[in-house]
C-alpha cells in the first residue's frame, strides 16, 4: 500500500467500479463509514478498510476454480474401451474470474502405451512417381510388421492424387482424354488425370492394401505442382468414408516428389470459389468438387487436421524438404521427413515420424474468448519449469508431463455472460473443457433498497450509498433541485465557473465535504487548500525547512525561497584564509558559487589554474618542511595547510598531465615541486629534497662550441651549394638530350658547303688553223 493508492485514486463511485480498478481493491458497504466533515473513500485496500472500521461489511470477491471431472490417466491403450482410455487430466474445470485476478490450475498429459493407430497412405500418382509405385507394392505387409512392434492395434488405408483435370493443370484436349501420355516417348500409356481418389478405407487386413497398390497406374499432368492439398483435406474431413476411429491415433502420410498447389492457384483455371472445408467424395470415392473449388489454404488445412486429431507426415524428396519444413511451422502437429526418389525408405520414414510424434506433447487452445488471457508453464521430464512454453519433447511412451495454466479475465462482459473454451494436446482426441463465469457484481448490489429511509425516501440505498431519484441531491438525497437546488450548488463553488468543491469534494446541499487523500489533508470551505501541494526540493516538501499551508511554503527561520531551500547563513562560505569564498566566488543560499574559472571546492579554495596558486602551495611547503616562510607559526601552518599532502623525492617526475609544475628561487638555486588536486578535496604535493643548482659554463667550452657551430654551418652551406649545382647540371643535360632526340636531318645539300674543285663555263670563240671553236675552259 506504499506509494500511490490505486484504489482511492480511481474515484470509484460504485462497488462494481471499485472491483474493476485492481484485483486487490475492496469496497466498504457499511452505512456510517468515515467522518461527517470529509469523505473517506469506500474503495481501498482490504487492510485499510479494516483499519478504518469497516470489518464485516467488505465486498472483496476473488477468482475461484473447481474441478468438475477428473478421471485418472490411463497406462495402456489397447485392450480397453476407448471411453476408458484417458491421456489428459482433468477433463473439465469451472472458473469464476474476477477481472485482473489471475487463477491457475494444473494439466497432466501422458502418451499411453500400446495406443491404437490408424494410418492413411496418400500417394502422388503423377508420372514421376512410377518407380515409387513399384517399390511399395508390398508395403502393407512390411509396414504392418514394423508398426505392430509399437502397437497391437494397427489399421491401414490408401488413397492417391494427381491434380485438377482442367486446363492449365492437366492435358484436356480430346486426344488426351483417355491417355494423357500420347506422344510421350518415355512413357506412352497412362490413365487420365484425377484430383483425389479414395481407394481403401482403414482396415487391419494389410493384404487388401497390397492388392490396391498393385492395381494403381500413374497419370500425367501438365504443370510441375501437384494437387495434393485437395487430397489431404478430403482425407481429413471425410471421416466416415476413410474410417478414422475416435479411439485411435490418426496418421496421414503424404508422399510426393514435387511442390503443391495452394489457395488462389485455382484462379489460373477459372476457379474463384474458395474451398468450403467440406467432404466432396462421390459414390465412386472420387473428389467431385475438383473442378468447382479452389485449392485449400494452409490455414484451412491446419484447422481441419486439428479438428480431426490428425498428424500429417510429409514424406518428400530432398530437393523440396525446406519448403515442406516451412509448411510445418504453419500447420500445427505436422512433421516432415526426406523420401528417397524410389520410396525405398518409406517404412523407416513412417516409423521415425511416428516415434517423433509420440515423443512430444503440445497444448493447443480452441475458442478462447478475447477477454481471457492465458499463460502456460511447462514442467517436462527434467523436472524444470519453462514459463511461456506449452510443449515438451524427448518423451518416451508412458511419460507424464504437466502444464500450469494461468487464466485472467481482462474485463467484465455483459451480465450473466459465460464462456467455454477447450485445451487439447495436438493430435489427441482427449480434451479439457474450461467453463468460465465472471465475478463482476457485488453481493450488496442484490440487497439494494428502493425508496429507503436512509435516503430520505428519495433514492435507492445500495452498498452504503444513496442513488437519488431525479430532482434530488445530497449524500442522503435530502436536497431538492430547482431554485433552492441551484442556490445550494452555488454555495459550494469558490467562484462562478469553478468546479464544485474545487473538484476535491462533494457538495452536500450547501456544504463541501472534502475527499480524504493519502498524501495529506484537504481542507477549506471549498476544499481549495491542502498540505501537500507545495513546492518540493529533491522530492522533499518545502525542502524539510518549512510547512505547507494551502499550496504555499511557510519557511522556518534562517531559510527563504519558494521551496525553503535557500539558507540565509553565510558562515559556511568563509574560507580558511578568512575570505568569503576565497575571493573567487559569491555566497548564495549558504553555499559558494565559484566565479573564477577553474575554481572549485566548498569555499572555492581549489583552483589549479588560478594565478598565485604556486605561491600558496610554496607557503605550505616552506612552513611544513622547513618551518620558514610567512606561515611559519605552527598553528597558522596547520590551519591553512591541513589539506596538503607533501612528499619529498630525489627526482621529480613530470609525466602526469594533471599535475601542475611550480618552481621558486632559493639562494641562486631553484626549488621545484608539482601538485595534484585529489578527488577527496586534498592536494598531493611532490617536492625535491634539495633545490636544483646549476654551475656556470667554462670559457673554453663556449669558444669551442662557437667554433664548432661555425664550421658545421659552413659544411652544411657547402653541401647545399653542391646539391643545387648538381641538380642544375642534370637538368641542363636532360634538356640537351631531349633536344638532340627531337633533331631531324635532311639528305639535301647544305648551302654552306663548297666542294674543293669548282667548275666555271666561259663562252669564247677562237680561230686556229682557220677553224672556229666554242667551249669551256677548266
Amino acid at each position: 500500500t506504499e506509494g500511490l493508492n490505486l484504489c482511492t485514486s480511481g474515484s470509484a463511485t460504485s462497488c462494481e467500479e471499485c472491483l474493476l480498478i485492481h484485483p486487490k481493491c475492496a469496497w466498504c458497504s457499511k452505512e456510517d463509514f468515515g467522518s461527517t466533515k470529509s469523505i473517506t473513500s469506500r474503495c481501498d485496500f482490504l487492510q485499510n478498510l479494516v483499519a478504518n472500521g469497516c470489518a464485516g461489511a467488505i465486498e472483496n470477491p476473488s477468482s475461484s476454480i473447481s474441478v468438475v471431472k477428473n478421471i485418472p490417466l490411463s497406462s495402456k491403450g489397447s485392450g480397453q474401451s476407448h471411453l476408458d482410455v484417458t491421456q489428459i487430466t482433468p477433463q473439465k474445470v469451472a472458473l469464476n474470474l474476477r477481472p485482473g485476478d489471475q487463477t491457475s490450475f494444473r494439466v497432466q498429459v501422458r502418451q499411453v502405451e500400446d495406443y491404437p493407430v490408424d494410418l492413411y497412405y496418400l500417394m502422388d500418382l503423377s508420372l514421376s512417381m512410377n518407380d515409387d509405385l513399384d517399390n511399395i507394392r508390398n508395403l502393407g505387409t512390411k509396414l504392418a510388421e514394423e508398426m505392430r512392434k509399437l502397437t497391437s492395434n494397427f489399421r491401414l488405408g490408401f488413397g492417391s492424387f494427381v491434380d485438377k483435370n482442367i486446363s492449365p493443370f492437366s492435358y484436356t484436349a480430346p486426344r488426351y482424354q483417355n491417355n494423357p501420355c500420347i506422344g510421350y516417348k518415355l512413357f506412352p500409356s497412362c490413365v487420365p488425370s484425377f484430383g483425389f481418389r479414395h481407394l481403401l478405407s482403414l482396415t487391419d487386413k494389410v493384404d487388401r492394401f497390397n492388392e490396391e497398390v498393385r492395381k494403381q497406374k500413374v497419370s500425367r499432368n501438365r504443370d510441375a505442382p501437384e494437387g495434393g492439398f485437395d487430397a489431404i483435406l478430403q482425407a481429413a474431413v471425410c471421416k466416415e468414408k476413410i474410417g478414422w476411429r475416435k479411439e485411435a491415433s490418426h496418421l496421414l502420410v503424404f508422399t510426393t516428389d514435387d511442390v503443391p498447389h495452394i489457395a488462389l492457384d485455382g484462379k489460373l483455371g477459372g476457379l474463384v470459389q474458395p474451398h468450403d472445408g467440406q467432404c466432396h467424395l462421390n459414390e465412386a470415392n472420387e473428389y467431385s468438387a475438383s473442378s468447382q473449388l479452389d485449392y485449400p489454404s494452409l490455414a484451412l488445412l491446419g484447422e481441419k487436421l486439428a479438428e480431426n486429431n490428425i498428424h500429417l507426415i510429409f514424406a518428400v524428396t530432398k530437393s523440396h524438404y525446406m519448403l515442406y519444413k516451412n509448411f510445418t511451422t504453419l500447420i500445427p502437429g505436422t512433421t516432415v521427413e526426406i523420401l528417397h526418389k524410389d520410396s525405398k525408405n518409406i517404412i523407416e520414414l513412417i516409423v521415425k515420424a511416428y516415434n517423433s510424434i509420440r515423443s512430444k506433447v503440445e497444448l493447443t487452445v480452441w475458442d478462447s474468448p478475447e477477454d481471457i488471457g492465458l499463460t502456460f508453464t511447462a514442467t517436462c521430464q527434467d523436472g524444470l519449469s519453462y514459463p511461456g512454453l506449452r510443449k515438451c519433447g524427448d518423451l518416451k511412451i508412458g511419460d507424464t508431463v504437466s502444464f500450469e495454466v494461468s487464466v485472467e479475465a481482462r474485463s467484465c462482459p455483459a451480465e450473466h455472460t459465460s464462456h467455454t473454451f477447450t485445451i487439447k494436446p495436438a493430435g489427441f482426441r482427449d480434451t479439457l473443457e474450461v467453463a468460465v463465469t465472471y465475478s463482476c457484481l457485488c453481493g450488496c448490489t442484490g440487497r439494494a433498497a428502493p425508496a429507503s429511509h436512509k435516503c430520505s425516501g428519495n433514492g435507492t440505498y445500495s452498498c452504503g450509498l444513496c442513488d437519488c431519484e431525479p430532482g434530488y441531491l445530497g449524500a442522503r438525497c435530502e436536497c431538492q433541485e430547482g431554485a433552492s437546488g441551484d442556490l445550494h450548488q452555488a454555495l459550494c463553488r469558490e467562484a462562478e465557473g469553478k468546479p464544485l468543491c474545487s473538484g476535491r469534494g462533494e457538495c452536500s446541499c450547501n456544504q463541501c465535504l472534502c475527499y480524504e487523500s493519502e498524501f495529506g489533508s484537504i481542507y477549506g470551505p471549498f476544499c481549495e487548500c491542502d498540505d501537500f501541494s507545495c513546492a518540493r526540493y529533491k522530492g522533499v516538501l518545502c525542502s524539510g525547512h518549512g510547512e505547507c499551508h494551502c499550496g504555499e511554503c511557510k519557511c522556518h527561520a534562517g531559510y527563504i525561497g519558494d521551496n525553503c531551500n535557500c539558507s540565509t547563513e553565510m558562515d559556511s562560505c568563509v574560507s580558511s584564509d578568512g575570505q568569503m569564498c576565497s575571493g573567487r566566488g559569491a555566497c548564495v543560499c549558504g553555499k559558494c558559487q565559484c566565479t573564477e574559472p577553474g575554481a572549485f571546492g566548498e569555499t572555492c579554495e581549489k583552483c589549479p589554474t588560478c594565478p598565485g596558486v604556486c605561491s600558496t602551495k610554496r607557503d605550505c611547503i616552506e612552513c611544513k618542511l622547513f618551518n620558514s616562510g610567512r606561515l611559519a607559526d605552527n598553528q597558522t601552518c596547520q590551519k591553512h595547510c591541513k589539506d596538503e599532502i607533501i612528499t619529498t623525492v630525489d627526482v621529480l617526475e613530470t609525466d602526469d598531465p594533471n599535475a601542475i609544475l611550480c618552481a621558486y628561487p632559493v639562494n641562486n638555486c631553484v626549488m621545484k615541486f608539482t601538485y595534484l588536486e585529489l578527488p577527496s578535496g586534498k592536494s598531493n604535493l611532490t617536492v625535491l629534497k634539495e633545490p636544483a643548482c646549476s654551475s656556470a659554463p667554462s670559457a673554453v667550452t663556449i669558444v669551442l662550441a662557437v667554433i664548432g657551430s661555425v664550421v658545421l654551418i659552413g659544411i652544411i652551406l657547402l653541401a647545399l651549394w653542391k646539391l643545387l649545382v648538381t641538380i642544375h647540371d642534370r637538368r641542363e643535360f636532360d634538356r640537351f638530350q631531349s633536344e638532340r632526340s627531337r633533331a631531324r636531318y635532311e639528305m639535301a645539300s647544305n648551302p654552306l658547303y663548297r666542294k674543293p674543285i669548282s667548275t666555271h663555263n666561259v663562252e669564247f670563240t677562237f680561230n686556229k688553223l682557220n677553224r672556229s671553236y666554242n667551249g669551256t675552259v677548266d
Side-chain angles (χ1 to χ4, degrees), residues 402-579:
S402 64
F403 301 87
E404 188 78 18
V405 184
S406 299
V407 189
E408 179 183 343
R410 300 190 184 97
S411 61
C412 272
E415 192 174 346
H416 304 304
T417 299
S418 61
H419 290 114
T420 301
F421 64 92
T422 302
I423 297 175
K424 68 187 294 290
F428 285 51
R429 68 173 181 85
D430 303 72
T431 62
L432 165 59
E433 181 182 331
V434 183
V436 181
T437 55
Y438 299 86
S439 181
C440 295
L441 296 177
C442 297
C444 58
T445 303
R447 301 189 296 271
S452 173
H453 68 278
K454 298 178 182 178
C455 302
S456 307
N458 301 318
T460 301
Y461 180 79
S462 176
C463 297
L465 296 177
C466 284
D467 182 15
C468 299
E469 299 287 346
Y472 292 92
L473 302 169
R476 298 300 177 191
C477 306
E478 69 274 24
C479 300
Q480 193 169 5
E481 287 185 352
S484 60
D486 293 338
L487 176 61
H488 293 316
Q489 295 282 342
L491 293 174
C492 291
R493 299 181 193 274
E494 187 176 7
E496 187 175 353
K498 289 198 172 183
L500 288 173
C501 301
S502 304
R504 303 198 292 179
E506 291 184 0
C507 182
S508 181
C509 294
N510 59 357
Q511 185 178 3
C512 282
L513 296 178
C514 302
Y515 295 134
E516 285 189 352
S517 173
E518 61 182 311
F519 301 111
S521 175
I522 300 175
Y523 57 95
F526 306 103
C527 303
E528 73 278 13
C529 293
D530 61 58
D531 60 1
F532 54 82
S533 296
C534 293
R536 297 172 182 264
Y537 179 69
K538 294 185 178 179
V540 180
L541 191 67
C542 297
S543 306
H545 303 306
E547 305 295 335
C548 181
H549 292 287
C550 206
E552 183 179 352
C553 284
K554 303 296 183 182
C555 300
H556 297 158
Y559 291 92
I560 58 174
D562 292 341
N563 53 14
C564 303
N565 70 323
C566 187
S567 173
T568 58
E569 296 291 334
M570 302 183 71
D571 293 344
S572 57
C573 293
V574 179
S575 59
S576 58
D577 59 1
Q579 297 186 77

Side-chain angles (χ1 to χ4, degrees), residues 703-720:
V703 171
L704 292 176
V706 171
I707 294 173
S709 299
V710 171
V711 172
L712 180 62
I713 292 171
I715 294 173
I716 292 172
L717 291 175
L718 286 173
L720 287 174

Side-chain angles (χ1 to χ4, degrees), residues 369-413:
E370 292 183 359
D371 60 346
I372 294 291
L374 291 173
T375 55
F376 293 82
T377 299
T379 303
C380 302
Q381 282 303 107
D382 56 8
L384 300 177
S385 295
Y386 299 92
L389 197 66
R390 52 180 174 182
K391 64 180 179 180
C392 288
D394 298 326
L395 304 177
K396 298 178 182 178
I397 301 299
D399 285 347
T400 303
V401 294
S402 64
F403 301 87
E404 188 78 18
V405 184
S406 299
V407 189
E408 179 183 343
R410 300 190 184 97
S411 61
C412 272

